[in-house]
Amino acid sequence: MHAPVDGLTGWSCPLGDGLTGTVVGSVAELRRAGLTDLPGEPVWACADWWRFVEADDDHEILYLLINRADTGRPLAVAPALLIRGPEQLLFYNGPRIIGDFSAIGHPPAATERDAARADHLAPRVAEVRGTLYPWLTVGVFGSSLGLRPFDAASPADTAPLVPALDRLARATAAELGCAGHSLLYLDPAEDAAGRDHAAATGAVRALFGAEAVLDVPENGLDGYLARFPSARRSKLRKEMQAYRAAGLYTTAAEGPDALGEQHLALRVALRAKYGHAAGESWARREFAALRDTLGERLTVLSSVRDDRVVGYLLAFRAGDVLYTRSAGFDYAAVEGTYCYFNLVYYDTLEWAARNGIRRIHYGLGTTEAKHVRGCELVPRRAYFTLPEAAAAPCAELLAIQDRSARARVAALGLDAS
């Protein structure tokens, strides 16, 4: 595991509003300081998930702890990632997603004028992108900022925490020699708490998409299909029939042994699709880390034909909520079978209803496909604090991305103005 905080663990700074900030190097240190599991907390904000990220050589992680100045009592904590170059972490690589409209699946721009301006700005941003590293990203996977109360007995008010977290991120980034920092991805309540502070400090605030959340009806697939007009129900049933007609069926497994040998090649192929040629040895290490840190939460649904796994959905269970992380396929084997939709939506929903799951979180990306399959859309925003030398073209391109994202979700009925 990398150690980005050598010499910085335990470093503290004043944050104003009666708060101080401290850098912590590991979940083990947070546990020793009294971090407890919270009932109903999102998987992406739980200590087990952070321990998994710590175990992966791809990531350099530290924790930003907000304390009361008078008593030193910890109030809240959020994870942060140190990003050293453009090859790392597409969805959490702040400099890389500036101008990358494919990162969360956005169209090129909202208008022809914006599209032309984006094309004009792209080379200028490419020229300065290298100067933005190293970069500090607050947030870790799962379409989530990861900001969470430190204990269940005294949950802290969110309002002062987001500005305090940004001030702590700014100071930590400076100590680490980072060119800038970002907060990814704020939910509506976090954004409401932080947007005035972002404007006052010159941070660029941009919508980066919408998280998709699906409520699971108690009567499963029948209740799900009843939500749609007749023509839509007919189309969904045809997709389900095509899956079965292709000889495919879905299995589900939970616990540390849910990930098996047949999932390895699909995981490697998924990584390669997003530009990471890590290979099987990396996937084996990742699977081992998942079993060790999140084993009891693991849920894997697999598409099978003739006893061979040709697709899988990896998810984590937290009480009656399921958080999906990744879906990998043998794309040649499943072409034309609607495998993705059956595995990720229809069969997963049916399994969820039978197993006490009441809500499924699908994350960012492929927004239209999720919306037409009944998902609620929750806006997620990002704050970017840029160095002065690169601010102008990067901020303008982020503004175009923001307009593009807002136009896209508005077309789906979500007001993110």
Side-chain angles (χ1 to χ4, degrees):
M1 182 180 67
H2 294 296
V5 292
D6 282 351
L8 198 61
T9 298
W11 174 84
S12 297
C13 68
L15 301 177
D17 296 329
L19 303 172
T20 61
T22 305
V23 173
V24 177
S26 69
V27 167
E29 294 173 58
L30 291 172
R31 291 287 200 196
R32 286 193 291 271
L35 183 72
T36 58
D37 295 324
L38 302 180
E41 68 183 353
V43 161
W44 314 123
C46 79
D48 287 343
W49 177 253
W50 296 351
R51 286 172 55 249
F52 164 68
V53 179
E54 283 182 19
D56 191 333
D57 287 341
D58 277 356
H59 309 131
E60 302 183 46
I61 187 169
L62 55 154
Y63 304 93
L64 305 184
L65 182 61
I66 301 170
N67 316 282
R68 281 190 52 149
D70 55 354
T71 65
R73 183 169 64 85
L75 294 178
V77 62
L81 298 168
L82 181 60
I83 313 296
R84 296 194 182 274
E87 71 284 351
Q88 291 179 274
L89 292 165
L90 172 59
F91 300 111
Y92 281 78
N93 191 322
R96 185 174 170 186
I97 61 178
I98 298 172
D100 187 342
F101 288 81
S102 70
I104 312 297
H106 292 164
T111 66
E112 289 186 8
R113 180 179 179 182
D114 271 351
R117 187 61 183 166
D119 288 342
H120 174 76
L121 290 166
R124 295 175 57 193
V125 171
E127 286 179 6
V128 301
R129 184 172 283 116
T131 68
L132 299 180
Y133 297 104
W135 183 270
L136 187 70
T137 291
V138 181
V140 57
F141 295 152
S143 317
S144 172
L145 181 64
L147 178 63
R148 53 157 287 181
F150 199 73
D151 59 59
S154 55
D157 178 21
T158 301
L161 293 180
V162 175
L165 179 63
D166 184 69
R167 289 193 289 269
L168 179 53
R170 184 187 299 265
T172 304
E175 287 293 314
L176 289 168
C178 294
H181 72 277
S182 52
L183 272 58
L184 309 177
Y185 294 94
L186 292 85
D187 66 22
E190 292 163 344
D191 177 53
R195 62 187 174 218
D196 289 344
H197 168 80
T201 59
V204 180
R205 172 178 171 263
L207 182 70
F208 259 80
E211 181 186 15
V213 182
L214 183 64
D215 288 324
V216 179
E218 291 185 5
N219 55 342
L221 199 57
D222 289 340
Y224 169 73
L225 290 171
R227 297 173 177 175
F228 298 98
S230 175
R232 184 68 190 152
R233 282 200 304 274
S234 177
K235 184 179 187 307
L236 296 181
R237 290 189 185 279
K238 287 179 180 177
E239 292 179 358
M240 296 174 197
Q241 291 165 1
Y243 182 71
R244 311 295 179 217
L248 293 165
Y249 62 94
T250 300
T251 64
E254 294 185 89
D257 297 327
L259 282 170
E261 284 291 315
Q262 292 199 59
H263 299 110
L264 280 168
L266 302 180
R267 177 58 175 146
V268 171
L270 180 65
R271 270 293 266 207
K273 181 180 178 182
Y274 289 100
H276 297 276
E280 185 178 312
S281 61
W282 174 88
R284 285 189 182 279
R285 292 195 303 274
E286 183 195 45
F287 282 13
L290 283 168
R291 295 183 189 108
D292 181 54
T293 57
L294 290 142
E296 297 308 316
R297 301 174 185 257
L298 275 179
T299 302
V300 180
L301 291 102
S302 302
S303 285
V304 182
R305 177 195 280 142
D306 298 329
D307 297 324
R308 186 170 77 88
V309 175
V310 295
Y312 80 99
L313 173 69
L314 173 64
F316 308 106
R317 182 170 184 164
D320 62 356
V321 182
L322 192 69
Y323 296 85
T324 66
R325 187 201 177 198
S326 60
F329 299 89
D330 179 340
Y331 293 98
V334 302
E335 185 176 0
T337 66
Y338 296 98
C339 182
Y340 176 88
F341 298 122
N342 279 271
L343 175 63
V344 176
Y345 297 99
Y346 317 140
D347 287 355
T348 292
L349 182 141
E350 193 165 28
W351 174 87
R354 292 197 308 268
N355 288 274
I357 299 294
R358 292 292 167 255
R359 178 163 268 216
I360 304 173
H361 285 251
Y362 282 109
L364 295 166
T366 58
T367 309
E368 287 88 352
K370 292 169 180 172
H371 173 70
V372 299
R373 283 165 180 81
C375 290
E376 172 193 357
L377 301 179
V378 180
R380 290 282 184 173
R381 286 183 166 82
Y383 297 173
F384 285 78
T385 297
L386 298 157
E388 185 175 351
C394 292
E396 187 176 355
L397 197 46
L398 282 167
I400 293 173
Q401 286 176 270
D402 174 68
R403 290 194 292 272
S404 175
R406 284 191 283 117
R408 184 168 192 168
V409 299
L412 302 176
L414 175 64
D415 181 9
S417 58

